[in-house]
Amino acid sequence: MPANSIESLRAACRSTRYRRIAATASEFVRVVWFCSRTVVFFGVPTETVFQMPAQKFCTDRRSFLAAAVAAASAGMVSAPSLSAADVVPVADGLMRVRIEIDVKGNVKVSDNALASRKAQQTFPVTSKAVLDYEERSLRPGNADIKSETVAAERYYHTASSTGVLNKSEIAQSLRPDMRHALVRRESLPETIYSPDNFFTHSELSLLRSPVSSVSVNRLLPGAPVTAGDRYEIASDVLCSVLNLSSVDSGKVDSHVVEVTDDAVRFKLEGDLEGSVDGVGTRLRLIGKMTFDRRINTCTWLALGVHETREIGKAEPGFDVSATIRMVRQPLASPVAMPAKPHAVAFGNPIPPEHLYVELQSRQHRVGTMMDRRWRMIQETPAAAVMRMIENDQSIAQCNLRPLVTLPEGKQWTLEAFEADVRQTLGDQLGQLIEGDQGVSAQGLRVLRIVADGETQGIPIRWIMMHFSDDAGRRVQATFTMSGDKVETFAGNDAQFGDSLRFLEREDLPAEPSPQSEPLAGQVESSLQIANRPSDEPDSVALPGDPPRVSDLN
């Protein structure tokens, strides 16, 4: 092969690195990955359709990237086109997507996120992550082929992250039996779930992409363009592509940089303010995008982003800069994804049983299956704290407290538990609403007391549950909520009671090293971002030259 061709291939290969933020094993560190949802993709200028047979498509990183950029280099010799170019995408079928993201910045934590969004502690964070997956767009049978994709099916070949939080190394990867996933986008941010199993919160954070690979084509103007054209990207499009709940203000423009026979290149730039699940966020972005005219779809997208997100009641705040590069490749047939598309009941909500997550307390060796609004906020030798958060509003809190082991075969009575509840609540107690006992689906004996009362003039509902097994192991759970949240709570104690179980040592994940323990009071789940000064320069810039081949190592 001629030297200039080799160098051209190497240069192209160097432009195909991708970066993404890290998720972590602990609940506090896990939230750092949430920062990556602000980042967007960076792509090389042009590329051609991949002709590689699907059965020979290697999941190896080098093979995939080399094939992608080899085709990309071929498109670079295309001559500029003087006529207007149609940039109307065809409906995507089966695609291979690979994303790598780099993030650097600070995570900020409030000592009491329920009372204040003010950050008391700041921790530096750097992270890298990789998502490599097959993606099949799913639509209702009667949907217009040009309509927005509201569901997708994925098979993850790679989903992993590494990073450093305040000198503590963190890492996260997807369990092998969780590679097959479904994505629903009727409401945003998109919802990812498994048709066969249950994700953990850390896995869900790992899989949340900062930009939706199924909606990237919505960034196109939908009309013929010529070099030099400019247009503003609509707010609903930004919500869909960036996985935001809302865009409240700001503007992002797209500039047609070049039109050739093979591709159209765009530059994106702007600022916006919006929200994610009720938490405010500000983004400053600059990026590039390539539309391949031969296959009528966007195959490359990239953005450098500086995001400042407020502290939420379930997530930390952050102030980060990030760069992401993404490549999308059409596939003729699935590599590892099931050949038959998964059936989705469009028009119906996701079955609730698919949206549970496993919550575990290592210190107290108990686990339970709850809906995704519940987070493990704190663990100490004295108690573990769970909190139910919906749209950044606290609904209820559950305190798990270990109790002294009873002699084998001996159990507490409901009357003894009721007396203990009266003593615990003291003057706060108004009245006992109900009390019952039974055996849970896990074979544990359950005592339950419901009480109403007041704290500082605020009506409060308590639900206290006592769990024990035949070996004498015991734990008490106390749910606390204001009187106006009782209806929203909607019997979550029943799900908790039926799924709580005592864990054996082998049920627990590997013990984290001391360096990977949460750093800023796991008790505060709502880690916050301090506001970035308005005169701070944009610290994220898109690289103009492709990285070296050695960078792919």
Side-chain angles (χ1 to χ4, degrees):
M1 181 181 294
N4 59 344
S5 297
I6 294 175
E7 186 56 35
S8 174
L9 177 58
R10 286 176 176 170
C13 288
R14 294 195 291 263
S15 66
T16 59
R17 299 185 69 206
Y18 315 97
R19 309 193 184 276
R20 195 184 88 142
I21 190 169
T24 70
S26 69
E27 184 63 19
F28 171 77
V29 179
R30 178 198 65 76
V31 182
V32 175
W33 162 244
F34 194 73
C35 304
S36 74
R37 301 185 64 256
T38 69
V39 203
V40 231
F41 306 139
F42 177 81
V44 298
T46 79
E47 75 285 355
T48 62
V49 62
F50 297 88
Q51 301 297 332
M52 185 185 304
Q55 64 269 24
K56 295 183 179 180
F57 188 91
C58 180
T59 62
D60 178 76
R61 178 184 186 219
R62 288 179 177 272
S63 300
F64 175 59
L65 295 177
V69 294
S73 354
M76 293 179 184
V77 300
S78 182
S81 174
L82 299 179
S83 59
D86 286 325
V87 285
V88 178
V90 297
D92 291 326
L94 186 63
M95 304 290 288
R96 182 69 176 260
V97 181
R98 185 177 177 94
I99 308 167
E100 291 188 13
I101 306 172
D102 245 359
V103 172
K104 183 177 182 179
N106 293 292
V107 174
K108 299 191 176 183
V109 184
S110 169
D111 286 344
N112 185 354
L114 291 180
S116 171
R117 295 184 185 271
K118 183 179 180 180
Q120 276 80 27
Q121 300 184 73
T122 301
F123 303 98
V125 60
T126 60
S127 58
K128 300 179 181 180
V130 176
L131 289 179
D132 185 340
Y133 54 90
E134 298 170 56
E135 182 172 70
R136 175 191 285 134
S137 296
L138 302 174
R139 289 183 174 84
N142 59 351
D144 188 324
I145 197 65
K146 296 181 180 180
S147 64
E148 181 179 4
T149 301
V150 294
E153 184 176 8
R154 291 177 183 162
Y155 184 90
Y156 290 90
H157 293 271
T158 302
S160 62
S161 64
T162 58
V164 177
L165 176 65
N166 199 31
K167 300 181 180 180
S168 298
E169 294 186 0
I170 52 180
Q172 174 69 27
S173 60
L174 187 66
R175 289 171 290 161
D177 58 345
M178 302 302 296
R179 296 181 184 275
H180 186 208
L182 296 174
V183 181
R184 295 285 291 271
R185 294 178 51 81
E186 289 91 342
S187 61
L188 297 173
E190 64 189 20
T191 300
I192 301 174
Y193 64 99
S194 168
D196 309 308
N197 215 323
F198 302 101
F199 286 112
T200 64
H201 272 304
S202 58
E203 287 175 324
L204 290 171
S205 294
L206 176 65
L207 298 183
R208 288 187 188 121
S209 173
V211 175
S212 170
S213 52
V214 297
S215 64
V216 61
N217 280 331
R218 295 197 66 194
L219 291 171
L220 298 169
V225 297
T226 58
D229 285 352
R230 295 178 180 271
Y231 60 94
E232 182 178 348
I233 300 174
S235 295
D236 65 313
V237 172
L238 293 172
C239 276
S240 181
V241 176
L242 301 179
N243 256 326
L244 301 173
S245 300
S246 69
V247 171
D248 305 318
S249 63
K251 179 181 180 182
V252 177
D253 290 326
S254 179
H255 174 210
V256 181
V257 176
E258 184 179 16
V259 177
T260 70
D261 291 340
D262 295 330
V264 180
R265 300 181 202 158
F266 300 82
K267 180 181 178 181
L268 313 172
E269 187 170 6
D271 301 88
L272 62 88
E273 295 189 9
S275 67
V276 178
D277 291 329
V279 180
T281 189
R282 293 191 296 153
L283 296 90
R284 179 186 303 173
L285 59 88
I286 180 172
K288 298 179 181 179
M289 177 177 66
T290 298
F291 174 80
D292 191 318
R293 299 181 66 183
R294 292 158 298 185
I295 55 176
N296 294 316
T297 195
C298 288
T299 50
W300 297 84
L301 178 66
L303 286 168
V305 175
H306 191 157
E307 180 177 13
T308 303
R309 185 169 299 182
E310 296 177 354
I311 294 176
K313 291 183 174 61
E315 304 282 358
F318 51 82
D319 191 346
V320 297
S321 298
T323 302
I324 300 183
R325 296 170 179 169
M326 177 190 70
V327 61
R328 300 170 73 235
Q329 171 193 358
L331 290 176
S333 59
V335 177
M337 182 184 289
K340 183 178 180 181
H342 190 87
V344 172
F346 292 101
N348 295 325
I350 302 170
E353 61 270 18
H354 288 306
L355 298 179
Y356 291 135
V357 291
E358 172 78 10
L359 298 173
Q360 293 184 350
S361 168
R362 169 181 292 277
Q363 298 216 30
H364 308 301
R365 293 198 180 182
V366 294
T368 186
M369 197 76 69
M370 299 295 284
D371 74 44
R372 297 183 183 186
R373 295 173 295 178
W374 285 96
R375 305 292 183 106
M376 186 67 71
I377 302 302
Q378 176 190 26
E379 278 199 84
T380 68
V385 179
M386 297 165 50
R387 194 170 291 155
M388 182 182 181
I389 306 291
E390 185 173 30
N391 294 325
D392 202 43
Q393 298 296 315
S394 179
I395 306 301
Q397 181 164 302
C398 176
N399 289 52
L400 281 167
R401 182 167 60 94
L403 301 175
V404 176
T405 301
L406 293 176
E408 187 172 345
K410 188 173 182 180
Q411 300 282 359
W412 241 22
T413 65
L414 183 61
E415 291 74 22
F417 186 41
E418 179 180 320
D420 182 74
V421 169
R422 290 182 181 277
Q423 181 179 359
T424 299
L425 295 180
D427 294 339
Q428 300 176 100
L429 176 63
Q431 60 177 333
L432 296 181
I433 304 301
E434 60 180 289
D436 55 63
Q437 58 185 315
V439 178
S440 73
Q442 306 300 320
L444 300 181
R445 185 164 183 264
V446 184
L447 308 176
R448 176 176 171 272
I449 299 288
V450 180
D452 283 347
E454 284 191 358
T455 298
Q456 298 179 344
I458 300 174
I460 299 294
R461 164 70 56 92
W462 292 278
I463 301 176
M464 297 188 175
M465 306 179 74
H466 176 278
F467 297 85
S468 59
D469 64 6
D470 292 337
R473 291 183 294 183
R474 299 192 299 157
V475 66
Q476 180 173 318
T478 301
F479 291 91
T480 307
M481 70 209 77
S482 60
D484 61 346
K485 297 295 196 303
V486 172
E487 185 175 346
T488 305
F489 181 78
N492 271 258
D493 56 309
Q495 169 63 28
F496 179 88
D498 255 349
S499 63
L500 185 130
R501 67 192 190 282
F502 291 105
L503 301 175
E504 305 301 332
R505 186 176 298 275
E506 57 269 20
D507 296 327
L508 296 168
E511 183 76 34
S513 64
Q515 291 81 11
S516 63
E517 292 290 348
L519 300 175
Q522 310 160 284
V523 64
E524 305 309 334
S525 73
S526 43
L527 310 170
Q528 160 162 12
I529 303 171
N531 289 330
R532 171 166 48 86
S534 59
D535 58 349
E536 178 181 333
D538 192 344
S539 60
V540 176
L542 291 175
D545 297 322
R548 295 165 298 181
V549 171
S550 60
D551 290 336
L552 293 178
N553 295 329

